[in-house]
Amino acid sequence: MKINYHNVTRLCHTRRILSVNGQFPGPPLIAREGDQVVVKVNNHVSNNVTIHWHGVRQLRSGWADGPAYITQCPIQTGQSYTYNFTLTGQRGTLLWHAHISWLRATIYGPIIILPRRNESYPFQKPYKEVPIMFGEWFNVNPEAIINQALQTGGGPNVSDSYCINGLPGPLYNCSKKDTFKLKVKPGKTYLLRFINAALNDELFFSIANHTLTVVEADAVYVKPFDTDILLIAPGQTTNVLLKTKPDFPNATFLMAARPYFTGSGTFDNSTTAGILKYKHPSNNIKKLPLFKPTLPAINATGFVANFTRKFRSLANSQFPANVPQTVDRKFFFTVGLGSNPCPSNTTCQGPNGTKFAASVNNVSFALPSVALLQAHFFGQANGIYTSDFPEQPLTPFNYTGSPPNNTMVTNGTKALVLSFNTSVELVLQDTSINGAESHPLHLHGFNFFVVGQGFGNYDPTKDPANFNLKDPVERNTAGVPAGGWLAIRFLADNPGVWFMHCHLDVHTSWGLRMPWIVLDGPQPNQKLPPPPSDLPKC
């Protein structure tokens, strides 16, 4: 992979973007389950860069995970780094993207993991497979946007459009020619691999007059279910089967995506669209009517809760759901917004003249100046991080009621240490400070099982009785409901340092992020190997 500048024009704005191999979106990484993947990344731009293979388990290959200052120092200008990992026990769709500041606005692409040779899908073999990536387009450099926001303490400027495979579509000014067209034949089954690579927005999606069958999420098969509307959060992937109409339908169909948003700030309230076009046996067709889909209201939280509950693991003998039935350690984390004081002699544009911040258990994570994994591996934590991340909120309050008077966060580089093979139950509780908002939480290095979710404050005496420990969905990114909670379980069987953060980049930039350190196990195959010789230096 070569990271270069290249000029791209969208919405009549030409911008010099950072991209991989001169492509926007970037090229697909296609492999099979069990393959070893080796990717050399050469940095030819002035920014420091890393690449994260989002959702890849990285079993004992934590040096290849990619979040800057967590598992590696970034690749500096003129330098290269070789990512080396094996795709173990995963098949389906994931994504790769830059993992430093907001560079993933343009540096992203699909990861397509095919089944092993001679193994088939647990559903009808599709006639064709098509990756469909959602992204955001900014007319100005996203780095300037987040840098300005962090300086002023206010919310960042929002994107100018959403895109489907890099194309905004006909509903934006000056964009009709930049429209994604999906050409299909009647009576066929297509596998559409949806990826939300947008920076800051969960998206609803629908194709007019067509039903989609969901068969996989985050590279794990699910019990198939039909839906007219998808919701995909940033970092999530969803594979669906599209059965086309048996005969040529004298029409074309709009497919559209627009945001789901519950917060109180500003957001890009626009719609990206593509065209589903049936190939006609003869080419002399007149202008066909265009049907448009209906999408839920922007803040349709009830729809979202019902939709996410439909996801269940296959949980059969071939694809078991290995949910931890007993739990060694339980954690309760609040996630949400807060504030930092405004530095003296400056004015800030955050709430009540403060700076916006975000936190987990009121700790807003400060990135260190060297990578945590190196500091941990070589026993050099001193002065870089502490292992005292709080296991529950230090000051309990009515999390989804009226916010407390003091909304200030603490800032620090704190980690949480787990022994090898610890089974973990983590309850993530949204807070209403500066507005209750849905937070798509992403855990690196693991899949987790979503065993429960609900609205309001989590009740540790009543709610666990309703946990699904039989066939819960297994994911790497899941939305903590706006004004609600999410309960997940995972087995800490992967030694290393693993980042957990909100996949809305603005919240990550404000500090809604924390690292888990999983210690080595006793056996040689349960230990993290030493770093590769070309690991970048800070």
Side-chain angles (χ1 to χ4, degrees), residues 23-106:
Q23 296 177 40
F24 169 70
L29 187 160
I30 302 171
R32 288 191 180 275
E33 179 187 346
D35 282 358
Q36 182 184 4
V37 177
V38 181
V39 184
K40 185 175 183 182
V41 176
N42 296 288
N43 182 7
H44 300 295
V45 298
S46 60
N47 303 68
N48 286 346
V49 176
T50 69
I51 300 289
H52 169 51
W53 316 92
H54 180 112
V56 171
R57 284 276 335 255
Q58 297 293 1
L59 282 162
R60 295 179 63 236
S61 54
W63 303 107
D65 190 40
Y69 303 106
I70 304 298
T71 59
Q72 67 168 101
C73 300
I75 308 165
Q76 297 178 27
T77 309
Q79 304 288 310
S80 68
Y81 178 45
T82 300
Y83 292 90
N84 188 336
F85 54 91
T86 299
L87 297 165
T88 309
Q90 294 182 279
R91 60 215 75 76
T93 307
L94 296 168
L95 68 152
W96 56 264
H97 61 76
H99 209 304
I100 182 168
S101 189
W102 278 20
L103 296 192
R104 73 180 183 89
T106 54

Side-chain angles (χ1 to χ4, degrees), residues 224-467:
F225 67 91
D226 290 349
T227 182
D228 302 335
I229 295 160
L230 299 174
L231 170 78
I232 310 183
Q236 288 187 331
T237 60
T238 308
N239 279 6
V240 307
L241 296 177
L242 168 71
K243 282 193 168 62
T244 55
K245 301 191 178 300
D247 304 302
F248 181 79
N250 282 308
T252 50
F253 303 92
L254 207 63
M255 45 176 142
R258 76 156 192 227
Y260 162 57
F261 184 78
T262 54
S264 49
T266 52
F267 65 102
D268 178 354
N269 187 4
S270 67
T271 304
T272 180
I275 307 276
L276 179 70
K277 200 172 179 181
Y278 280 76
K279 288 180 179 158
H280 193 270
S282 68
N283 283 334
N284 55 358
I285 44 172
K286 54 190 186 304
K287 202 166 162 46
L288 297 171
L290 176 68
F291 288 101
K292 295 178 180 166
T294 314
L295 288 165
I298 295 290
N299 59 354
T301 295
F303 171 88
V304 170
N306 288 338
F307 178 73
T308 51
R309 283 198 181 97
K310 290 179 182 169
F311 286 81
R312 299 279 167 128
S313 287
L314 276 183
N316 59 22
S317 55
Q318 195 186 353
F319 302 106
N322 298 317
V323 192
Q325 298 294 315
T326 58
V327 174
D328 299 323
R329 296 188 67 182
K330 291 187 177 186
F331 302 97
F332 182 80
F333 288 3
T334 56
V335 294
L337 305 186
S339 35
N340 268 323
C342 193
S344 49
N345 303 329
T346 53
T347 52
C348 292
Q349 293 168 6
N352 305 322
T354 62
K355 288 183 121 168
F356 264 117
S359 67
V360 184
N361 274 352
N362 210 45
V363 179
S364 186
F365 183 80
L367 283 177
S369 51
V370 298
L372 293 184
L373 186 57
Q374 263 168 298
H376 159 68
F377 187 85
F378 293 110
Q380 297 165 340
N382 211 355
I384 293 166
Y385 70 89
T386 55
S387 307
D388 57 349
F389 188 89
E391 301 190 5
Q392 61 225 23
L394 300 176
T395 350
F397 60 97
N398 178 2
Y399 307 113
T400 53
S402 36
N405 294 335
N406 180 8
T407 62
M408 294 296 170
V409 301
T410 59
N411 300 283
T413 310
K414 295 174 185 290
L416 218 160
V417 179
L418 298 170
S419 302
F420 184 79
N421 257 356
T422 301
S423 57
V424 174
E425 180 179 288
L426 168 62
V427 175
L428 295 153
Q429 171 73 59
D430 185 36
T431 63
S432 54
I433 297 172
N434 295 330
E437 207 169 320
S438 172
H439 297 282
L441 254 282
H442 172 47
L443 176 60
H444 289 229
F446 298 94
N447 281 346
F448 53 76
F449 291 96
V450 179
V451 295
Q453 63 175 48
F455 288 114
N457 296 341
Y458 173 73
D459 183 333
T461 48
K462 287 187 190 149
D463 287 326
N466 299 318
F467 283 0

